[in-house]
Amino acid sequence: MLAFAGVAVLVILFPGPSVLFIVSRSLSLGRVPALITVVGNQAGELLQVCAVALGIGSLVATSETAFTAIKLLGATYLVYLGIQTIRRGDVPDGLAAGRSTASRRRVLAQAVTVGVTNPKTTVFFAAVLPQFVDVRLGHVPIQMLALGAVWAAIALISDSLWALAASRARDWLTASGRRIFRRMQIGSGAVMVGLGVGLALTSRSTST
């Protein structure tokens, strides 16, 4: 578990698509929605760990059809979220104010969907988790779930720091004027659209 934690730290600290997604949400929505996005994204990845522990991850890792279907679903959803962000309009309060619990639930649901529909993460878990499992101890699915919990804990800390840093930048940019805020909003949406297109064009590999 300690060896896996070391690998997880190295992988998580290197900014990837998940970090870009969280930062873009933080810049467009604000601190609280960004932290909710972190929790939702990790919940989605934990669902992927469960899938790997139950053997479903092997199907995604070996079946081109399953991989492509999940990949296109996740890519389409990311593009949709990006377009929605671009079209939101020049309203600095909006969802970032977090005035309704319904909006927070929506942000959480969106983050879980993005986290669970990234097939490259599933392939990564399917390839890496078994290497740190001791079959002599038995209870292999439980061991994988424990390793997944370690990953989620480390990722929660790292991603939360990214979200807080981005939200501080957002506060400064918002104070600089509505025009800058609008440009930031469009840029954040463009990042999500780019992530979606990149996911759609990506090939199957073990990188996240």
Side-chain angles (χ1 to χ4, degrees), residues 43-68:
E45 292 193 353
L46 278 177
L47 289 175
Q48 292 195 8
V49 172
C50 293
V52 171
L54 295 174
I56 302 174
S58 299
L59 174 64
V60 177
T62 58
S63 171
E64 189 67 33
T65 301
F67 179 87
T68 302

Side-chain angles (χ1 to χ4, degrees), residues 15-98:
S18 293
V19 170
L20 289 177
F21 174 66
I22 290 166
V23 168
S24 65
R25 296 296 268 178
S26 183
L27 290 175
S28 61
L29 302 181
R31 181 179 295 106
V32 174
L35 293 175
I36 293 174
T37 297
V38 171
V39 174
N41 189 63
Q42 288 311 308
E45 292 193 353
L46 278 177
L47 289 175
Q48 292 195 8
V49 172
C50 293
V52 171
L54 295 174
I56 302 174
S58 299
L59 174 64
V60 177
T62 58
S63 171
E64 189 67 33
T65 301
F67 179 87
T68 302
I70 297 176
K71 177 183 72 174
L72 293 178
L73 176 63
T76 301
Y77 194 66
L78 273 172
V79 171
Y80 166 77
L81 290 180
I83 293 174
Q84 289 295 100
T85 299
I86 293 173
R87 294 179 58 189
R88 183 166 291 116
D90 188 15
V91 184
D93 298 328
L95 189 59

Side-chain angles (χ1 to χ4, degrees), residues 172-185:
W172 180 82
L173 290 171
T174 302
S176 300
R178 295 171 69 87
R179 180 176 299 179
I180 293 180
F181 179 87
R182 179 58 183 151
R183 290 175 180 174
M184 176 181 64
Q185 206 171 44

Side-chain angles (χ1 to χ4, degrees), residues 113-126:
T113 302
V114 170
V116 81
T117 55
N118 184 354
K120 295 186 70 178
T121 306
T122 303
V123 174
F124 174 81
F125 285 140

